Amino acid sequence: MATVVYVKHKGFCLTDEPVENDSITESHVTNGLQELPWDLYLPEDGEDDDVDDKTKSPPPTSPPKKLSKLEKREARQVKKVNASRRKKLQREQELGANGIDAKIPEFKPYLAKRELKSLFNSIIEENCESGKTDSKILQYHSIALYKSDLEHLLPGEWLNDNNISLIYELIIQMFIKQGRTFSNQIQILFPSVIQLLVHFPDDVEALLPVDDLKKLKFIFLPLNFIDEVDVDLEDDNNGDHWALGVLSLLDNTLYVYDSMQIDDDESTDIQLKNLAKKLQSCKSFVHGKIKIQIVKCDQQRNFDDCGVYVIMISCYLINQFLFNDEMSLDVSKVKFNPLDARLYIMKLVSRLVRI
């Protein structure tokens, strides 16, 4: 498994030294999204909408404020403190499960589902025109979110392209563009681009922002596997399963995080090899043969949460890259909570519609 260090004057580099990262050696429970400091750019839940205009966050069409070196250092320190606090609370919760009094309540799925549904209804009531079957909820840079997209965040629903694209756009605008010096060595591609990349028969470089990709070290690829290789791309919601690919140009390896791994999955293997060949043809930024490595990760417990896992793992890794000086692509010790992630995303949408 690749281990990476952040070097002040070079950016991200591979290292043979073991990474001293507690999240690798200790079991870690998270919804993925909570790893990132959203509070730097979004109003808190329940913040008064009637605050003075001067104190409001900038509108979503304008870029977030540029953080100073001091603010970036403080953000990294906050992340460390929060990580330490979460580990302490988690240990207390585990002790409570063994008969010792715990200081925090355990996660209650029923209450989370109720809060998720209540928040959904509130957003729809405040932002949708009555009588319309589908209404636009918000516009954030290139992503327009509609009522039908929001419905996919409810329990039992399968996330669509737009759900993933919204979180990716938020990460790009708030964290990668405003991150440390070499955060531009990381690129996140939207699902629609990957769909074209996989199925486009000719020059795939024409589909990609090649000039931006030349300076990259890591590219995040949301993969949508299908049972039938030959499909009509004009059909809506083609695909049967989401997984996350992270292309490391440091070692020419495509790391694949699949929350529903199946042994001897011939269809998935064919599609991954096809993707690797397509990426290898992009000589402008890929130099050499691409290896495929399936990464051990937490497995979903139903047939609906694959897209949520793509978002959770993406956020977890992005936090590693942007706020840690030593990091690993290993997530084998991390346990993800997809229901909590759905609720967290709905809360982010609720905060976005107020700015």
Side-chain angles (χ1 to χ4, degrees), residues 41 57-66 140-141 173-174 177-178:
Y41 300 108
S57 300
T61 53
S62 61
K65 66 175 183 177
K66 187 73 174 178
Y140 184 81
H141 291 266
Q173 299 297 333
M174 293 184 179
K177 285 188 176 182
Q178 307 301 321

Side-chain angles (χ1 to χ4, degrees), residues 198-199 223-231 239-241 243 254 256 258 260-276 292 294:
V198 170
H199 298 286
L223 309 174
N224 196 349
F225 295 127
I226 54 179
D227 287 336
E228 300 294 334
V229 177
D230 296 323
V231 296
D240 302 290
H241 178 58
L254 177 63
V256 180
D258 189 343
M260 191 180 285
Q261 295 175 4
I262 301 174
D263 294 336
D264 302 322
D265 188 348
E266 184 177 352
S267 175
T268 297
D269 290 343
I270 291 174
Q271 291 172 76
L272 286 174
K273 290 177 182 177
N274 178 47
L275 175 61
I292 298 173
I294 307 298

